[in-house]
Amino acid sequence: MSDFQNTIRILIASDIHAGYGEGKKIIDEDSFIGLEETLKHATEQDVDFILLGGDLFHESVPSRYTEHKVISLLRKYCLSDREIAIEMISDPQEVFENNHFKLVNYEDPNINVGMPIFSIHGNHDDFSGKGLMALDILHDAGLVNLFGKFNNVDNIVVKPILLRKGDAKVALYGIGSQRDDRLQRAFHAGKVKFCFPEDVDDWFNILVVHQNRPPRSLTRTTGSFLPLSVLPSQMNLIIWGHEHKCEIEPQFFPKGTGNEKDGFFIIQPGSTVATSICADETSAKHVSVLEIKGVTFKTQPIPLQQTRQIIVEDLDLAKVNPKPRIVKLKARTKDMEDERLIHEKLQEMLENAKQYRGAQQPNLPRMRLRVIYSGDWLKIPPVNCRVIGHKYDGKVANPSDIVSVKTIRPDDVDEKGVRKVTASDGTTVHDLLKQSFTDNDIESGLGVLSLSKMQHYVDVSTKLDESKKKKLEMLDNTINEQIAEYKAKISKVSLRSVCFLS
Amino acid sequence: MSDFQNTIRILIASDIHAGYGEGKKIIDEDSFIGLEETLKHATEQDVDFILLGGDLFHESVPSRYTEHKVISLLRKYCLSDREIAIEMISDPQEVFENNHFKLVNYEDPNINVGMPIFSIHGNHDDFSGKGLMALDILHDAGLVNLFGKFNNVDNIVVKPILLRKGDAKVALYGIGSQRDDRLQRAFHAGKVKFCFPEDVDDWFNILVVHQNRPPRSLTRTTGSFLPLSVLPSQMNLIIWGHEHKCEIEPQFFPKGTGNEKDGFFIIQPGSTVATSICADETSAKHVSVLEIKGVTFKTQPIPLQQTRQIIVEDLDLAKVNPKPRIVKLKARTKDMEDERLIHEKLQEMLENAKQYRGAQQPNLPRMRLRVIYSGDWLKIPPVNCRVIGHKYDGKVANPSDIVSVKTIRPDDVDEKGVRKVTASDGTTVHDLLKQSFTDNDIESGLGVLSLSKMQHYVDVSTKLDESKKKKLEMLDNTINEQIAEYKAKISKVSLRSVCFLS
């Protein structure tokens, strides 16, 4: 047999977040462009299958438009009379025991699958109610093979999908997204079991997970995560979904046993669309072709050509000009120094974007300039971000939030002059709120504050130099205002507008 | 060629309402049972295709479970290597011009469709936002052929699906559900055009619509409808969806031109699941096999074996006993005469149900006994329907609403002693509200009153002998109560329960 016939080739991608940006101007199709480019690369690279690390959908209940787009793209690219060279050895009844259709889609004689997709679910694909998620619909429709689905995190038995092509043998293990703390506990309590084939060392073992990775820096303080130490050393490779930063080159992690071979590689594909404008999302987006011969592998990262540019920079005013000629002012006046510096910097960013823009990248980049006010710059009120942003209409994809403001007062810095880490350095308000609530809270739909009001509160309160108590009072006020607003809305509703809430 | 090769056989059904009863006890799977039985009959009868009259889904946004059930059943029954004997003559790009995939599913080489389904959409499949409905997802997934979809009711050009099998030629015309008044106006203004084939008389022309039918009785006062007079006389047969009463035998409607042949037949398949407990839904549910040879046809109605029994009866207390021995009472006492009569009647209904229950019908029927209080019976307060109902737990599928109460006071009867028709005779509160609001009202989601509160108001207010003004005051109170309830709810919400409304 030729080399080709003994090599399994897999396109690896993750966090496609189809439907991200829906309803926003300009970027609303970006996620679908990312999905389509991924599918195109798989076709062009003629891989045996696609392996996804979760969060194919951005929302757990995708809109009809998103569902329609995804189904349409999958039908277009995955159904064909192309021959499938991999053979599934394991019992599909076992591997897909928690799915309705307990078979791999390309073995259904009624659907011509030319490009199989295997995917675990991510946190955005969360299932509720009767244990079904949006990915189940795709699995049921024969467009995706959903694996790593468990009904009970306290009893996870991971049965591999065993795939063979000539001499090459790949075992795919998957654990769909779980709450990090619960999964960690389950691992420690021995409630996660892996069914390894008897000749496990003859297989190339791939585990796909969708969890927080252990923190690697001070600014990454997400709390719970999946520790590498609990992952079985039989694995050759971990595909790590959920983390959006693209770390497409395989990284080796020894298990600390002294044996050099005792460990595994990790590939973190990152997302195919940036779902926030932050440093982690600025690195070029990639998918990768993984080639497996025996128990050796190599990868060929493929940069995505069509993803929108993201440029994130800081402008520390005190560093540019430590002694500005300004007087203490309560209100801003025209043509102030900081505004000039900001526009200069934005112009520079725009020019950089233009220079490095690929032929297939959209014209309007997403940009974020964080302007830092400290020292003498604290004498004046910071710029109005929206006013600045308006001048970049038609130049960037996100004029309304192109600039953000950060003020650093003396008590934000420790005795060594090192800035204390605050939540705004790494996470968004959305992240913080999400962490604070259980899924039940969110599903139960109790709601007073909209995210935008909450964001407004944070925007305003962080700019003010108030005590904690004052800030809490402000929060109370924000809540009360919104309650009053709702009350006013309700009392204004006329009988004409009555409709069915039952 | 044999007779069989020159005969097109179609299974006709409508208003499957998949997902009806979701969340209710006992009947929650009834709609899926109706769908599955329909699909089974089509397979057993070996028809060329299935033709549906709309409302495949009960909700315009079906739940994930419902979507999953429908996709699973369609994949199970419609995908197979069974050969398709019909040939599509018309240009699919034209027929499916408003769909994403502009082809008939069985001509997609990548999907083995063994049983094609053609369907128009119903009012429950209403599309919103980007012009997509739940049926579009099924069309995109290659499981259904959605036709009769128009983006603008003021410019409807109906292009037929031309199907041939040997000598038999069928032209399928479809108009998905439109608001009756608008469609009627569009017809009168000449804004609905039909593209007939040149040799139209050589084709068997079928029009599928999903509208209100012209009123046929005093109690049917739904207002606007689609008049038969506007429908083109080239049609041989109309399949009429939306009306749930099963009128499976073809009825001939002459056009009043004096020419006996100038007219068409109508088949009204009715629903495959009863979505309300009323007289129209009590007749046995059917699908029908339509056989077409040349321009002649015959039908073979097939009663559905698995639909749940529905029994609706009246108990007019004054007719059973015009002179009961009762004294005027403000509160009910134990073992009153009316209660005894009600239980006797319900027992009789239960026994009838048992006697006539088919082998495949579920054990628990849905029953409704309307108890009429008039004459001397008005001296006592009517029975509490829920208390009566509790005694039929485990005996019927709907104990909580097995009994309804109607009081007839002297001023409800006209001078000839004929009872005046009230809304409660034909329509439900839900229908009335739906008629009062435009789709925009409902979509905009403004809401104060829940349907259950509204129902409660109607239940209570119709029992009381109050003036119109008093009743309006009561409505005001009902609304204010609900507003107060919402206010109380909102003010009780703690910060812990804040979640995202944006």
Side-chain angles (χ1 to χ4, degrees), chain A residues 60-62 64-65 67-68 71-72 75 79-81 100-101 103 108-112 130 132-134 137 139-142 433-434 436-438 441-442 446-452 475 479 483 486-487 490 493 495-502, chain B residues 60-62 64-65 67-68 71-72 75 79-81 100-101 103 108-112 130 132-134 137 139-142 433-434 436-438 441-442 446-452 475 479 483 486-487 490 493 495-502:
Chain A
S60 70
V61 184
R64 181 162 298 155
Y65 180 72
E67 200 178 359
H68 149 80
I71 286 180
S72 298
R75 178 170 170 188
L79 300 195
S80 71
D81 51 11
H100 182 75
F101 283 94
L103 83 171
D108 186 325
N110 298 319
I111 307 175
N112 287 357
K130 302 198 180 183
L132 292 166
M133 45 196 154
I137 302 288
H139 181 94
D140 292 346
L433 285 176
K434 270 222 157 165
S436 307
F437 298 115
T438 66
D441 286 335
I442 292 166
L446 293 170
V448 175
L449 279 184
S450 67
L451 184 57
S452 61
L475 184 56
I479 294 170
I483 289 174
Y486 288 146
K487 280 182 181 173
I490 289 174
V493 174
L495 185 55
R496 184 82 187 100
S497 319
V498 169
C499 90
F500 322 119
L501 291 178
S502 69
Chain B
S60 71
V61 184
R64 180 159 301 155
Y65 180 72
E67 202 180 355
H68 149 82
I71 286 181
S72 299
R75 179 169 170 190
L79 300 195
S80 70
D81 51 10
H100 182 75
F101 284 94
L103 82 171
D108 186 326
N110 297 320
I111 307 175
N112 287 355
K130 303 199 179 182
L132 292 166
M133 45 197 153
I137 302 288
H139 181 93
D140 292 345
L433 285 177
K434 270 221 158 169
S436 307
F437 298 114
T438 66
D441 285 336
I442 291 165
L446 293 168
V448 175
L449 279 184
S450 68
L451 185 58
S452 61
L475 184 56
I479 293 170
I483 289 174
Y486 288 145
K487 281 183 181 174
I490 288 173
V493 174
L495 183 56
R496 185 81 188 103
S497 321
V498 169
C499 91
F500 323 119
L501 292 176
S502 70

Side-chain angles (χ1 to χ4, degrees), chain A residues 8 10 49 86-91 159-173 195-207 233-237 263 292-297:
Chain A
I8 292 182
I10 310 170
F49 63 91
I86 44 168
E87 187 192 349
M88 178 152 166
I89 310 284
S90 41
D91 181 359
K159 295 169 185 166
I161 299 174
L162 302 176
L163 300 168
R164 192 165 59 189
K165 181 182 172 191
D167 291 345
K169 301 200 289 185
V170 165
L172 276 184
Y173 308 77
C195 302
F196 292 107
E198 272 184 31
D199 51 347
V200 60
D201 291 339
D202 295 343
W203 291 80
F204 188 82
N205 300 287
I206 304 177
L207 171 62
S233 58
Q234 286 92 336
M235 296 303 162
N236 302 74
L237 177 65
I292 296 156
K293 267 185 239 181
V295 291
T296 65
F297 76 102

Side-chain angles (χ1 to χ4, degrees), chain B residues 228-239:
Chain B
L228 301 188
S229 56
V230 301
L231 300 179
S233 58
Q234 287 91 336
M235 296 301 161
N236 302 74
L237 178 64
I238 316 284
I239 305 297

Side-chain angles (χ1 to χ4, degrees), chain B residues 295-333:
Chain B
V295 292
T296 64
F297 76 102
K298 64 177 183 182
T299 60
Q300 176 202 341
I302 302 175
L304 294 179
Q305 303 294 325
Q306 294 175 268
T307 47
R308 194 179 293 277
Q309 291 173 297
I310 295 229
I311 301 139
V312 175
E313 295 217 31
D314 276 1
L315 172 64
D316 191 337
L317 293 168
K319 279 196 185 150
V320 181
N321 184 357
K323 293 285 166 212
R325 275 190 235 165
I326 46 181
V327 290
K328 197 163 177 126
L329 279 175
K330 282 217 167 165
R332 292 186 59 85
T333 56

